[in-house]
Amino acid sequence: MLEYALIAGLLFGLYFSLIGLGLNLVFGVMRVVNLAHGDFLMLGGFAAYWLFTLRGVNPIFSIPIVFVAFALIGWPLYYLLVPRLQASKDPEMLSLILFFGLSQVIEACATIGFGTSEYSIPGDVLGSEPWHILNQTFPASWMVSGIASAVCIALVYLYLYRTRIGYVTRAVMSQRDEALSTGINVHAVSALAFGISLALAAVAGVLAPFMFGSIVPAMGVAVTITSFAVIVMGSLGQPLGTVLGGMVYGVALMFMQTYASSWANLLPYLVLILILLVRPTGLLGKRVRHA
Amino acid sequence: MKSRRLLPLPLVCLLASMLTPADAAETPKDIKIGTLYASSGPFAAISMPVYYGLKLWVEQKNEAGGVLVRPFNKKIPIKLIAYDDQSSTATATTLYNQLITQDKVDILVADSGSVLTSVGVPIARDHKMLLIDQTGTGATFFTKDNPYIVLISDPISSVWPKYVGDFLNTEGYQLGIRRVAILYATNDYTSTQANAVRKFLKDAGKLEIVYDNGVATNTSNYVVLLQNIRASNPDAVVHLGYPGNDIAFFRNVQESGIKFKWLFGIYPGLETELVERGVGPKALQYVYTYVTSSAISYKPNFGMTLAEFKAAWDKKYQGGHVEFGFNAVAGYTTGLVLDRALATTDNLDQLALRRAIFAQSGKLKTLDGDFELDETGAQTGEIQPLGQLVPDSKGGLRLNIVYPHDLADAKPAYPAP
Amino acid sequence: MGSGCGMRNGLRHLIFVLVPVVAAFAVLPWVYSNHLLLFNFVVFLVLAQGINVIYGFTGYLPFGYVGFFGAGAYGFSLLVLHMHAPPLLALVAGALAALILGIILTPLLRLEGAYFAIATLAASEVVAQIISNPNLTNVTQGPYGIRLSGVYAPRFAYSVAVVILALTLLMVVYLRNSRFGLALQAIRENPVSASMAGVDVVRGRTIAWLLSALIAGLIGAVYAWYISVFYPETVFDLGMSIFAIVFALFGGTATIVGPISGVAILYGIYNGIGIATPQYFQLIYGTLIMALVSFLPNGLLPLLKRWGINVP
């Protein structure tokens, strides 16, 4: 059972890292908490479901489709919502509430459109034979999710560290005001980051029916909290941190499910508080406390 | 969402009322039945069919001029007032209050399921209204000191899994089953059933429970749990959860490539359409489940038979998104019981209605089975036999009844191939 | 900031705001028979004022505010279930439970802005998860929910709730008109200058935090008393925190009538829509929240100020 928990933990860890990555990007770049993050994930999941059911598109191919679609949605959404926010007295707090409102709107529309029962995609579209690793069998869909997540994470890394835009984005993440004064079009960079963040959430959503078992319109909030736990653990503004955070979280979750399953739901919240109290900068990060 | 039924023949009724003697002017112009339903959230899958079943009865009655109410000796149309609680207990609490204090309903019918019924129990009791409990089987509702509740369409949870326990202890034992694993969702309904199964097994003392675990009702990923269960090497696995749990569970079993020799779930029987849609027929092959009244044609002495009801349902709700299954039958059964009660009651007092309903116990047999109440209002009849889903020749599934023997039509296939 | 300190203003606020509101809710049950609805209004009035105390006066926004409410509800219920305590005593237990939780969570005040908000949310969920764990069923009834019998007294509970409302409003009147309240607002604006001006920042914040916890705990306990059947999700529902926050923000924080008008208007709309067309209310509500934040980020207050109305 131990090896199973470990390997499953790593697979889930990669997946959680993917989920957290988008949220990290947004918070790092614009200091805005996207409480609707989980809902975009949910929308990505439904997009994959409908693409599969209506057009027979294998979820693997849905991934790039969904990525582009949501990135395109994210760009104008940013301009609609965020600049006005940053002109107010307390943008961080208000962003919480604004995006919570957005989360409710998305959830309501999804409920009206899709109803409330759980939707799932048969696991065998990603491979009908379970994979065997070290004498343990895992559903094929988990392996595929793990691989897809790893690829996306690698791509984000390339974006941030190997492209010019990524370089500029990192500048904005570390010192927003200075970036403004050096003539960087902060809004454009932020809008791009926002679009990518939504796209990442949506890609995670495509994989969600396999990792979570099913998707429902109401799943958004819990996913958002979990992703927050992951990024806080990893520390903000550090994409690598999110990967570490995700892995730690995934393994911890699997161990809890194996050995103390009734307490497993407690984990994200407990982890979040402990990290914030003991090491709020996360496993590798900058200071966020103030007296 | 309000649901209104207008008088179909107002002129005739007006004339009729003019012709009847003066003191019949006290006759209410309609019988208000208040109920709740959940259009969204975790309980929607078991709530909407119940609501639609009840609505079907109401509309049928109103098409025939209303329901016969004995104290007024005439048919009175029914006005069904229904609100949406969206599976939220807080909302349900407010809405039960609304029905009683603002809408002043004559008959209060609970939403489906123990959770949404539970919040209505103290409210009904406080306002001295009889709570018509449709499918809420939590054993704590029924106490000797509260007369204001009666359970219509489901056997109380502590009795429900009787045939599962009996089978495992007798035939199962003969087939070689020795080790049993129990996995349940931690809520009133499924955990009470788990308690009952556990008790049935422990009392007989022949089988060993090698795994016994409760998980949160919102669990949707069973892969790790399945590994744990497999590690305990059971011969039989009993899974007790709501439809969401069952769907996730059976999918994960299939995806993990694990084969259990004997596997039981509640909703492959109670909501076959829904579960089959979610996991595909292949995942449900050789799974054991309850044979509900939507799969057995009991011979009722009142109301439509199963075939007639299904035909009426298809006609009325064809193309709708509400699944036909056991819960649809349950809603209709509520209507039938109210029908008999109103036709035999002394007056519209809540306790008089209660007496009228109790008078049906042991006498009424509907498409849902035998109607039997114990003294606290809990349903002890309508117990469901054990069945097994086997592949049929068309790539779908057929439900065989395997226990008890007087109802069985096939032998169980054990171990599952 | 405050529109003047002192006893005179305080007295005016008492007479023109506190008394009418409390009197209204004391009398309404005789006129309107859906008492549960009235009770819910009182609950939200209190919760919104609790948010007002912590956010309006110190700038900290506890997304997990409902944790104190739930702690109060469970504190009350456990004392009744296990010790058969009389309700008024159990009320004190509920308040104490919330207060203890507040004390335990005080270290969270060291965090800034969004971290604090999310951390309180996590804390509230931790408490909820611990309480609803099936292994603790013997103590807390786990996920099966609380069924209280023997203390069902909705009319008396309602009166107690109105009393708590009065006390809460009294406290807010005090804060609005006292030096302590001004000090708190100074902390909110700029903690560093406030401490340089001699304000004990940590002490002030902690007191405001504990006060708001106490308020929520008290009303949570009364809530448990009133409805007597509930599940962990009911009293630890994130939506309650959000509603309280939005109501407070809408009317305007650091004022007395702000949260009151927020509750009256928004919760009124919620109930109106919620009962008539529930499938749309979430949509309408979400849009309302977004519009509120986008166009009225500081609540109604600046609008009213611009029209020359001084808000108590």
Side-chain angles (χ1 to χ4, degrees), chain C residues 32-119:
Chain C
Y32 181 69
S33 49
N34 191 342
H35 297 169
L36 182 64
L37 195 61
L38 292 175
F39 182 77
N40 283 337
F41 262 93
V42 174
V43 169
F44 276 106
L45 279 170
V46 173
L47 286 178
Q49 290 293 3
I51 291 281
N52 194 8
V53 168
I54 183 72
Y55 179 63
F57 288 97
T58 69
Y60 276 88
L61 191 61
F63 248 43
Y65 192 54
V66 73
F68 298 123
F69 182 79
Y74 268 89
F76 177 89
S77 308
L78 293 185
L79 215 69
V80 170
L81 271 180
H82 294 295
M83 314 240 213
H84 304 288
L88 290 174
L89 185 63
L91 266 180
V92 174
L96 267 178
L99 203 56
I100 294 176
L101 183 62
I103 293 175
I104 295 178
L105 294 178
T106 313
L108 290 181
L109 289 170
R110 287 179 295 179
L111 301 170
E112 66 161 24
Y115 286 95
F116 174 79
I118 305 264

Side-chain angles (χ1 to χ4, degrees), chain A residues 27 31 33 35 80-81 84-85 88-90 92-109 111-112 221 225 228 232 236 262-266 268-270 272-273 276-277 280 288-291, chain C residues 55 59-61 63 105 107-115 117-119 121-123 125-126 129-130 133-136 188-189 191 201-202 205 238 242 245-246 249 279-280 282-283 286-287 289-290 293-295 297-298:
Chain A
F27 194 56
R31 306 297 294 177
V33 182
L35 277 186
L80 193 62
L81 295 175
R84 195 197 292 272
L85 204 56
S88 75
K89 243 183 0 172
D90 197 352
E92 259 184 50
M93 289 299 107
L94 290 177
S95 76
L96 279 171
I97 302 176
L98 176 70
F99 281 95
F100 176 78
L102 182 62
S103 153
Q104 293 294 289
V105 170
I106 296 178
E107 192 182 314
C109 290
T111 311
I112 293 173
V221 178
I225 308 263
F228 211 76
V232 161
L236 291 170
S262 60
W263 296 97
N265 279 346
L266 190 54
Y269 311 111
L270 201 55
L272 188 56
I273 301 188
L276 282 178
L277 285 180
V288 292
R289 263 190 212 188
H290 76 156
Chain C
Y55 179 63
Y60 276 88
L61 191 61
F63 248 43
L105 294 178
L108 290 181
L109 289 170
R110 287 179 295 179
L111 301 170
E112 66 161 24
Y115 286 95
I118 305 264
L121 182 60
E125 275 299 308
V126 167
Q129 289 289 333
I130 293 179
N133 196 294
N135 297 334
L136 289 180
R188 172 196 186 171
E189 298 294 326
V201 173
V202 177
R205 269 210 297 251
L238 168 65
I242 303 294
I245 290 174
V246 172
L249 283 182
Q279 60 266 50
Y280 293 111
Q282 194 184 23
L283 181 61
T287 323
I289 292 177
M290 290 180 73
V293 170
S294 301
F295 300 113
N298 298 313

Side-chain angles (χ1 to χ4, degrees), chain C residues 26 31 36 53 74 85 94-95 99 122 134 175-176 208 214 220-221 245 250 256 261 284 289 310:
Chain C
V31 182
L36 182 64
V53 168
Y74 268 89
L99 203 56
L175 284 177
R176 184 96 170 101
L214 188 65
I245 290 174
F250 179 73
I256 307 171
S261 40
I284 296 175
I289 292 177
N310 241 330

Side-chain angles (χ1 to χ4, degrees), chain B residues 112-113 133-137 142 151-157 160 189 193 267 270 326-327 330 333 368 372 378-384:
Chain B
S112 173
D133 176 355
Q134 304 196 74
T135 59
T137 58
F142 305 98
L151 174 56
I152 306 289
S153 307
D154 275 347
I156 187 173
S157 287
W160 199 329
Y189 165 59
Q193 286 212 20
Y267 282 94
L270 259 61
F326 164 68
N327 284 301
T333 308
D368 194 21
E372 271 166 34
Q379 177 72 232
T380 52
E382 296 166 355
I383 304 185
Q384 296 163 341

Side-chain angles (χ1 to χ4, degrees), chain B residues 28 30-34 104-108 129 348 350 353:
Chain B
D30 52 27
I31 298 285
K32 295 201 212 34
I33 300 185
K104 300 210 189 345
V105 295
D106 299 304
I107 299 180
L108 181 67
M129 283 219 58
L348 287 179
Q350 298 297 304
L353 284 169

